[in-house]
Amino acid sequence: MILVVVPAYNEEKRIGRVVRGLFEHDYKNVLVVDDCSRDNTVKMALKAGAKVLSHKINRGQGASLETGNEYARRNGYDTVVHFDGDDQMNPEDIKMAIDKIEKGGYDIVLGSRFLDDRSKIPFFKKFLILPVSRWINLVFTHVKLTDVHNGFRVLNKKSLDSIRITQDQMAHNTEIVKQIKKNKLKFTEIPVEIRYHEFGQGIRGGIKIIWDLIIKV
Amino acid sequence: MYVIQILLVIFFLFALSRVVLRYRVGDLRVGGLVFWCLFWVIAGIVVVIPNSSAYFAEIVGVGRGADLVVYVSLVVLFFMIFKLNVKIEKINKDITKIVREESLKEK
Protein backbone atom coordinates (compact mmCIF):
# COMPACT_ATOMS: atom_id res chain seq x y z
CA MET A 1 0.00 0.00 0.00
CA ILE A 2 1.48 3.32 -1.12
CA LEU A 3 1.13 6.59 0.77
CA VAL A 4 2.17 9.88 -0.80
CA VAL A 5 3.19 12.34 1.91
CA VAL A 6 2.96 15.97 0.86
CA PRO A 7 4.36 18.50 3.36
CA ALA A 8 2.76 21.90 2.83
CA TYR A 9 3.10 25.38 4.25
CA ASN A 10 1.12 28.28 2.80
CA GLU A 11 0.50 26.48 -0.50
CA GLU A 12 -3.18 27.34 -1.07
CA LYS A 13 -2.50 28.27 -4.71
CA ARG A 14 -0.72 25.03 -5.59
CA ILE A 15 -1.71 22.27 -3.21
CA GLY A 16 -4.97 21.47 -5.02
CA ARG A 17 -3.12 21.00 -8.32
CA VAL A 18 -0.51 18.79 -6.62
CA VAL A 19 -3.14 16.55 -5.00
CA ARG A 20 -5.22 16.29 -8.16
CA GLY A 21 -2.07 15.46 -10.16
CA LEU A 22 -1.32 12.59 -7.80
CA PHE A 23 -4.89 11.27 -8.01
CA GLU A 24 -4.76 11.47 -11.81
CA HIS A 25 -1.69 9.24 -11.74
CA ASP A 26 -3.64 6.73 -9.67
CA TYR A 27 -2.05 7.40 -6.28
CA LYS A 28 -5.14 7.05 -4.15
CA ASN A 29 -3.64 7.64 -0.71
CA VAL A 30 -2.47 11.23 -0.53
CA LEU A 31 -1.65 12.68 2.87
CA VAL A 32 -1.06 16.42 3.11
CA VAL A 33 0.74 17.43 6.30
CA ASP A 34 -0.09 21.07 6.81
CA ASP A 35 2.58 22.84 8.85
CA CYS A 36 0.34 25.46 10.44
CA SER A 37 -0.30 27.41 7.25
CA ARG A 38 -1.79 30.87 7.63
CA ASP A 39 -3.70 30.59 4.37
CA ASN A 40 -6.30 28.13 3.03
CA THR A 41 -3.93 25.24 2.38
CA VAL A 42 -5.98 22.82 4.51
CA LYS A 43 -9.23 23.80 2.86
CA MET A 44 -7.80 23.46 -0.66
CA ALA A 45 -6.16 20.11 0.14
CA LEU A 46 -9.39 18.73 1.58
CA LYS A 47 -11.33 20.07 -1.38
CA ALA A 48 -8.97 18.23 -3.72
CA GLY A 49 -9.67 15.01 -1.81
CA ALA A 50 -6.52 14.54 0.26
CA LYS A 51 -6.36 13.28 3.82
CA VAL A 52 -4.98 16.17 5.89
CA LEU A 53 -3.05 16.25 9.16
CA SER A 54 -2.42 19.68 10.65
CA HIS A 55 0.43 20.85 12.85
CA LYS A 56 -0.94 23.32 15.38
CA ILE A 57 2.47 25.04 15.50
CA ASN A 58 4.84 25.50 12.56
CA ARG A 59 7.64 22.93 12.97
CA GLY A 60 9.37 22.79 9.59
CA GLN A 61 9.43 20.49 6.58
CA GLY A 62 11.47 17.75 8.28
CA ALA A 63 8.93 17.57 11.11
CA SER A 64 6.05 17.40 8.61
CA LEU A 65 7.66 14.50 6.73
CA GLU A 66 8.24 12.59 9.96
CA THR A 67 4.58 13.15 10.88
CA GLY A 68 3.67 11.63 7.51
CA ASN A 69 6.07 8.73 8.06
CA GLU A 70 4.62 8.08 11.50
CA TYR A 71 1.11 8.09 10.05
CA ALA A 72 2.28 5.51 7.50
CA ARG A 73 3.84 3.31 10.21
CA ARG A 74 0.69 3.37 12.33
CA ASN A 75 -1.62 2.67 9.42
CA GLY A 76 0.21 -0.21 7.81
CA TYR A 77 1.59 1.41 4.66
CA ASP A 78 4.60 -0.35 3.17
CA THR A 79 5.74 2.31 0.70
CA VAL A 80 5.97 6.05 1.29
CA VAL A 81 6.57 8.74 -1.31
CA HIS A 82 7.87 12.16 -0.23
CA PHE A 83 6.47 14.67 -2.66
CA ASP A 84 6.67 18.48 -2.30
CA GLY A 85 3.51 20.55 -2.00
CA ASP A 86 4.70 23.45 -4.15
CA ASP A 87 3.92 21.84 -7.52
CA GLN A 88 7.60 21.59 -8.47
CA MET A 89 7.63 17.82 -8.84
CA ASN A 90 6.22 15.62 -11.56
CA PRO A 91 3.97 12.73 -10.41
CA GLU A 92 5.06 10.76 -13.47
CA ASP A 93 8.43 10.24 -11.80
CA ILE A 94 6.94 8.22 -8.95
CA LYS A 95 6.31 5.13 -11.06
CA MET A 96 9.96 4.57 -11.90
CA ALA A 97 10.89 4.95 -8.23
CA ILE A 98 8.23 2.44 -7.15
CA ASP A 99 9.50 0.01 -9.80
CA LYS A 100 13.03 0.33 -8.40
CA ILE A 101 11.66 -0.56 -4.97
CA GLU A 102 9.37 -3.39 -6.06
CA LYS A 103 11.43 -4.94 -8.84
CA GLY A 104 14.94 -3.64 -8.23
CA GLY A 105 15.06 -4.56 -4.55
CA TYR A 106 16.06 -1.09 -3.41
CA ASP A 107 15.13 0.17 0.08
CA ILE A 108 15.03 3.83 -0.83
CA VAL A 109 15.04 5.80 -4.06
CA LEU A 110 16.17 9.43 -4.25
CA GLY A 111 15.32 11.86 -7.02
CA SER A 112 18.08 13.63 -8.93
CA ARG A 113 17.84 16.67 -11.16
CA PHE A 114 21.13 15.84 -12.83
CA LEU A 115 20.38 12.49 -14.44
CA ASP A 116 18.44 14.01 -17.31
CA ASP A 117 17.89 17.50 -18.65
CA ARG A 118 14.20 18.05 -17.83
CA SER A 119 14.85 20.30 -14.82
CA LYS A 120 15.66 23.85 -15.78
CA ILE A 121 17.90 24.69 -12.85
CA PRO A 122 18.78 28.38 -12.41
CA PHE A 123 22.38 29.02 -13.54
CA PHE A 124 23.70 30.26 -10.18
CA LYS A 125 22.16 27.29 -8.42
CA LYS A 126 23.37 24.72 -10.94
CA PHE A 127 26.97 25.81 -11.11
CA LEU A 128 27.63 27.20 -7.65
CA ILE A 129 25.14 26.35 -4.92
CA LEU A 130 24.45 22.72 -5.86
CA PRO A 131 28.10 21.66 -6.42
CA VAL A 132 29.05 23.21 -3.05
CA SER A 133 26.02 21.59 -1.39
CA ARG A 134 26.92 18.21 -2.89
CA TRP A 135 30.41 18.51 -1.43
CA ILE A 136 29.05 19.53 2.01
CA ASN A 137 26.63 16.60 1.87
CA LEU A 138 29.50 14.25 1.06
CA VAL A 139 31.46 15.57 4.06
CA PHE A 140 28.53 15.05 6.43
CA THR A 141 27.17 11.78 5.03
CA HIS A 142 30.08 10.04 3.22
CA VAL A 143 27.55 9.17 0.52
CA LYS A 144 28.25 10.35 -3.01
CA LEU A 145 25.09 11.53 -4.78
CA THR A 146 24.50 13.39 -8.03
CA ASP A 147 22.04 15.77 -6.37
CA VAL A 148 21.12 17.23 -3.01
CA HIS A 149 17.99 18.40 -1.26
CA ASN A 150 15.35 18.13 -3.94
CA GLY A 151 12.96 16.32 -1.58
CA PHE A 152 11.76 13.56 -3.89
CA ARG A 153 12.21 10.12 -2.35
CA VAL A 154 10.43 6.80 -2.04
CA LEU A 155 10.89 4.54 0.98
CA ASN A 156 10.01 0.90 1.42
CA LYS A 157 8.94 -0.58 4.77
CA LYS A 158 12.52 -1.28 5.87
CA SER A 159 13.52 2.35 5.23
CA LEU A 160 10.34 3.64 6.82
CA ASP A 161 11.04 1.66 9.99
CA SER A 162 14.73 2.48 10.22
CA ILE A 163 14.78 6.16 9.26
CA ARG A 164 13.69 8.63 11.94
CA ILE A 165 13.75 12.30 10.92
CA THR A 166 14.81 14.40 13.91
CA GLN A 167 15.89 17.49 11.97
CA ASP A 168 12.71 19.56 11.93
CA GLN A 169 13.90 22.06 9.33
CA MET A 170 15.64 21.60 5.97
CA ALA A 171 18.66 19.67 7.30
CA HIS A 172 16.46 16.57 7.26
CA ASN A 173 17.58 15.88 3.69
CA THR A 174 21.16 15.37 4.77
CA GLU A 175 20.03 13.53 7.89
CA ILE A 176 18.10 11.02 5.79
CA VAL A 177 21.18 10.33 3.65
CA LYS A 178 23.23 9.87 6.84
CA GLN A 179 20.70 7.34 8.09
CA ILE A 180 20.74 5.50 4.74
CA LYS A 181 24.47 4.95 5.29
CA LYS A 182 24.11 4.12 8.99
CA ASN A 183 21.33 1.57 8.43
CA LYS A 184 23.04 0.11 5.36
CA LEU A 185 19.95 0.68 3.21
CA LYS A 186 20.18 -0.18 -0.47
CA PHE A 187 19.62 3.06 -2.35
CA THR A 188 19.65 4.44 -5.85
CA GLU A 189 18.89 7.69 -7.67
CA ILE A 190 16.46 8.21 -10.51
CA PRO A 191 16.04 11.20 -12.80
CA VAL A 192 13.28 13.57 -11.69
CA GLU A 193 11.93 16.80 -13.04
CA ILE A 194 11.84 19.84 -10.78
CA ARG A 195 9.92 22.79 -12.18
CA TYR A 196 11.16 26.03 -10.69
CA HIS A 197 8.61 28.62 -9.57
CA GLU A 198 10.97 30.13 -7.03
CA PHE A 199 14.68 29.88 -6.36
CA GLY A 200 14.28 27.56 -3.35
CA GLN A 201 17.11 27.28 -0.82
CA GLY A 202 19.47 30.22 -1.15
CA ILE A 203 22.89 30.70 0.46
CA ARG A 204 21.25 31.76 3.73
CA GLY A 205 19.15 28.58 3.77
CA GLY A 206 22.29 26.55 3.08
CA ILE A 207 24.15 28.13 6.00
CA LYS A 208 21.18 27.38 8.27
CA ILE A 209 21.31 23.72 7.18
CA ILE A 210 25.02 23.45 8.01
CA TRP A 211 24.40 25.13 11.37
CA ASP A 212 21.60 22.66 12.16
CA LEU A 213 23.75 19.70 11.14
CA ILE A 214 26.56 20.79 13.47
CA ILE A 215 24.54 22.02 16.44
CA LYS A 216 21.41 19.86 16.45
CA VAL A 217 22.69 16.37 17.07
CA MET B 1 32.47 52.03 49.82
CA TYR B 2 31.73 53.47 46.38
CA VAL B 3 28.22 53.94 45.03
CA ILE B 4 28.78 51.32 42.32
CA GLN B 5 29.70 48.78 45.00
CA ILE B 6 26.52 49.53 46.94
CA LEU B 7 24.38 49.27 43.80
CA LEU B 8 25.97 45.98 42.78
CA VAL B 9 25.57 44.48 46.24
CA ILE B 10 21.89 45.49 46.26
CA PHE B 11 21.48 43.85 42.85
CA PHE B 12 23.24 40.67 44.01
CA LEU B 13 20.98 40.47 47.07
CA PHE B 14 17.99 40.87 44.79
CA ALA B 15 19.37 38.09 42.53
CA LEU B 16 19.88 35.86 45.60
CA SER B 17 16.28 36.44 46.69
CA ARG B 18 15.12 35.40 43.18
CA VAL B 19 17.22 32.24 43.37
CA VAL B 20 15.64 31.27 46.72
CA LEU B 21 12.17 32.10 45.40
CA ARG B 22 12.69 29.94 42.28
CA TYR B 23 13.86 27.10 44.53
CA ARG B 24 10.80 27.43 46.76
CA VAL B 25 8.34 27.28 43.87
CA GLY B 26 10.17 24.25 42.49
CA ASP B 27 11.75 25.76 39.35
CA LEU B 28 15.26 25.14 40.69
CA ARG B 29 16.75 21.96 42.15
CA VAL B 30 19.17 21.80 45.12
CA GLY B 31 22.20 21.73 42.77
CA GLY B 32 20.98 24.87 41.01
CA LEU B 33 20.24 26.57 44.33
CA VAL B 34 23.76 25.89 45.64
CA PHE B 35 25.43 26.94 42.36
CA TRP B 36 23.58 30.24 42.00
CA CYS B 37 23.87 31.12 45.71
CA LEU B 38 27.62 30.54 45.56
CA PHE B 39 27.83 32.50 42.32
CA TRP B 40 26.14 35.62 43.69
CA VAL B 41 27.89 35.42 47.08
CA ILE B 42 31.32 35.20 45.41
CA ALA B 43 30.35 38.04 43.07
CA GLY B 44 29.41 40.07 46.18
CA ILE B 45 32.72 39.29 47.92
CA VAL B 46 34.69 40.32 44.82
CA VAL B 47 32.78 43.61 44.62
CA VAL B 48 33.04 44.45 48.34
CA ILE B 49 36.68 43.33 48.68
CA PRO B 50 38.22 43.93 45.23
CA ASN B 51 41.61 42.65 46.40
CA SER B 52 40.12 39.20 47.01
CA SER B 53 40.13 38.57 43.26
CA ALA B 54 43.80 39.57 43.13
CA TYR B 55 44.55 36.94 45.78
CA PHE B 56 42.88 34.19 43.72
CA ALA B 57 44.40 35.54 40.50
CA GLU B 58 47.85 35.08 41.98
CA ILE B 59 47.05 31.53 43.11
CA VAL B 60 45.92 30.46 39.60
CA GLY B 61 48.66 32.42 37.83
CA VAL B 62 46.66 35.24 36.25
CA GLY B 63 48.24 38.70 36.46
CA ARG B 64 45.42 40.87 37.78
CA GLY B 65 42.28 40.22 39.78
CA ALA B 66 40.15 42.01 37.19
CA ASP B 67 41.52 39.69 34.48
CA LEU B 68 40.55 36.65 36.52
CA VAL B 69 37.00 38.00 36.90
CA VAL B 70 36.75 38.52 33.13
CA TYR B 71 38.14 35.05 32.30
CA VAL B 72 35.87 33.27 34.77
CA SER B 73 32.86 35.30 33.61
CA LEU B 74 33.53 34.35 29.99
CA VAL B 75 33.84 30.66 30.81
CA VAL B 76 30.63 30.76 32.87
CA LEU B 77 28.80 32.66 30.12
CA PHE B 78 29.85 30.25 27.37
CA PHE B 79 28.91 27.28 29.51
CA MET B 80 25.52 28.81 30.21
CA ILE B 81 24.97 29.46 26.49
CA PHE B 82 25.83 25.82 25.80
CA LYS B 83 23.43 24.60 28.49
CA LEU B 84 20.69 26.92 27.23
CA ASN B 85 21.22 25.73 23.67
CA VAL B 86 20.90 22.09 24.72
CA LYS B 87 17.80 22.92 26.73
CA ILE B 88 16.17 24.85 23.88
CA GLU B 89 16.90 21.98 21.47
CA LYS B 90 15.27 19.53 23.86
CA ILE B 91 12.22 21.77 24.28
CA ASN B 92 12.01 22.11 20.49
CA LYS B 93 12.07 18.35 20.04
CA ASP B 94 9.42 17.92 22.74
CA ILE B 95 7.19 20.55 21.09
CA THR B 96 7.51 18.73 17.76
CA LYS B 97 6.55 15.43 19.41
CA ILE B 98 3.47 16.98 21.02
CA VAL B 99 2.43 18.76 17.80
CA ARG B 100 2.91 15.49 15.87
CA GLU B 101 0.87 13.40 18.30
CA GLU B 102 -1.85 16.02 18.30
CA SER B 103 -2.02 16.03 14.49
CA LEU B 104 -2.04 12.23 14.30
CA LYS B 105 -5.19 12.18 16.42
CA GLU B 106 -7.10 13.88 13.57
CA LYS B 107 -9.59 11.59 11.94
Side-chain angles (χ1 to χ4, degrees), chain A residues 51-56 59 63 66-67 70-71 74 168 215-216, chain B residues 85 89 91-93 95-96 99-107:
Chain A
K51 156 91 185 162
V52 178
L53 296 181
S54 300
H55 283 177
K56 297 272 190 297
R59 302 311 296 155
E66 182 56 25
T67 298
E70 187 55 28
Y71 177 87
R74 292 184 190 183
D168 288 348
I215 298 297
K216 297 180 182 175
Chain B
N85 204 53
E89 274 315 305
I91 291 169
N92 259 327
K93 283 192 162 64
I95 292 172
T96 300
V99 168
R100 177 167 299 131
E101 282 307 317
E102 201 55 34
S103 70
L104 285 163
K105 282 179 192 162
E106 288 174 31
K107 291 290 169 199

Side-chain angles (χ1 to χ4, degrees), chain A residues 79-99:
Chain A
T79 307
V80 168
V81 180
H82 289 172
F83 198 86
D84 284 358
D86 54 4
D87 198 29
Q88 288 198 333
M89 293 176 174
N90 186 345
E92 279 175 20
D93 292 326
I94 299 174
K95 191 181 178 314
M96 188 199 278
I98 302 274
D99 283 348

Side-chain angles (χ1 to χ4, degrees), chain A residues 9-24:
Chain A
Y9 177 63
N10 293 342
E11 294 290 357
E12 66 176 3
K13 287 183 184 150
R14 293 173 178 149
I15 196 71
R17 202 157 55 233
V18 172
V19 173
R20 283 191 296 276
L22 288 162
F23 283 138
E24 280 162 17

Side-chain angles (χ1 to χ4, degrees), chain B residues 2-21:
Chain B
Y2 294 105
V3 177
I4 184 71
Q5 286 176 302
I6 296 166
L7 289 175
L8 282 171
V9 168
I10 291 169
F11 174 75
F12 294 159
L13 287 172
F14 167 75
L16 261 175
S17 72
R18 295 293 98 181
V19 171
V20 175
L21 187 74

Side-chain angles (χ1 to χ4, degrees), chain B residues 1 13 17 21-24 37-38 40 64 75 79 89 95 103 107:
Chain B
M1 208 181 225
L13 287 172
S17 72
L21 187 74
R22 290 285 127 208
Y23 174 72
R24 279 190 179 161
C37 284
L38 275 175
W40 293 117
R64 297 184 309 163
V75 169
F79 182 69
E89 274 315 305
I95 292 172
S103 70
K107 291 290 169 199

Side-chain angles (χ1 to χ4, degrees), chain B residues 60-107:
Chain B
V60 295
V62 179
R64 297 184 309 163
D67 290 344
L68 179 70
V69 171
V70 171
Y71 295 156
V72 171
S73 304
L74 273 176
V75 169
V76 170
L77 278 174
F78 277 116
F79 182 69
M80 280 168 58
I81 290 170
F82 164 73
K83 290 276 284 180
L84 277 174
N85 204 53
V86 170
K87 190 87 182 163
I88 290 167
E89 274 315 305
K90 189 174 176 323
I91 291 169
N92 259 327
K93 283 192 162 64
D94 289 346
I95 292 172
T96 300
K97 274 185 204 164
I98 294 167
V99 168
R100 177 167 299 131
E101 282 307 317
E102 201 55 34
S103 70
L104 285 163
K105 282 179 192 162
E106 288 174 31
K107 291 290 169 199

Side-chain angles (χ1 to χ4, degrees), chain A:
Chain A
M1 206 158 53
I2 301 166
L3 177 71
V4 184
V5 175
V6 184
Y9 177 63
N10 293 342
E11 294 290 357
E12 66 176 3
K13 287 183 184 150
R14 293 173 178 149
I15 196 71
R17 202 157 55 233
V18 172
V19 173
R20 283 191 296 276
L22 288 162
F23 283 138
E24 280 162 17
H25 286 78
D26 222 19
Y27 298 105
K28 294 184 176 64
N29 303 307
V30 178
L31 173 72
V32 171
V33 183
D34 174 64
D35 200 17
C36 198
S37 296
R38 286 164 295 173
D39 63 7
N40 290 316
T41 300
V42 172
K43 197 176 153 192
M44 300 311 281
L46 286 169
K47 197 175 161 193
K51 156 91 185 162
V52 178
L53 296 181
S54 300
H55 283 177
K56 297 272 190 297
I57 303 171
N58 180 266
R59 302 311 296 155
Q61 196 190 54
S64 302
L65 287 171
E66 182 56 25
T67 298
N69 285 358
E70 187 55 28
Y71 177 87
R73 286 182 204 111
R74 292 184 190 183
N75 291 280
Y77 289 93
D78 47 31
T79 307
V80 168
V81 180
H82 289 172
F83 198 86
D84 284 358
D86 54 4
D87 198 29
Q88 288 198 333
M89 293 176 174
N90 186 345
E92 279 175 20
D93 292 326
I94 299 174
K95 191 181 178 314
M96 188 199 278
I98 302 274
D99 283 348
K100 292 274 181 191
I101 297 261
E102 289 176 351
K103 295 170 191 162
Y106 289 98
D107 297 317
I108 182 164
V109 180
L110 308 169
S112 169
R113 287 162 283 190
F114 291 89
L115 295 176
D116 65 16
D117 56 1
R118 284 180 297 156
S119 302
K120 304 289 175 256
I121 308 168
F123 182 86
F124 185 59
K125 199 171 182 111
K126 187 171 184 176
F127 294 104
L128 185 69
I129 293 183
L130 289 177
V132 172
S133 305
R134 266 202 301 268
W135 180 79
I136 291 168
N137 238 15
L138 182 63
V139 169
F140 277 102
T141 64
H142 308 293
V143 176
K144 201 167 182 186
L145 296 170
T146 62
D147 196 1
V148 283
H149 299 173
N150 75 58
F152 180 99
R153 60 184 79 82
V154 180
L155 298 81
N156 72 356
K157 186 87 173 78
K158 186 179 171 190
S159 293
L160 184 62
D161 289 340
S162 55
I163 290 174
R164 288 288 189 281
I165 302 170
T166 63
Q167 290 282 358
D168 288 348
Q169 308 292 321
M170 296 310 287
H172 69 273
N173 290 287
T174 309
E175 184 190 28
I176 288 172
V177 179
K178 268 171 93 172
Q179 293 196 29
I180 289 173
K181 172 100 173 166
K182 188 183 153 202
N183 295 304
K184 297 187 177 83
L185 298 170
K186 193 179 172 194
F187 73 95
T188 188
E189 291 179 288
I190 60 154
V192 292
E193 179 186 12
I194 303 293
R195 296 178 293 239
Y196 283 89
H197 308 300
E198 285 160 16
F199 192 78
Q201 293 284 323
I203 290 175
R204 214 170 133 196
I207 291 168
K208 170 89 170 63
I209 289 169
I210 297 170
W211 174 255
D212 284 353
L213 287 169
I214 294 169
I215 298 297
K216 297 180 182 175
V217 275

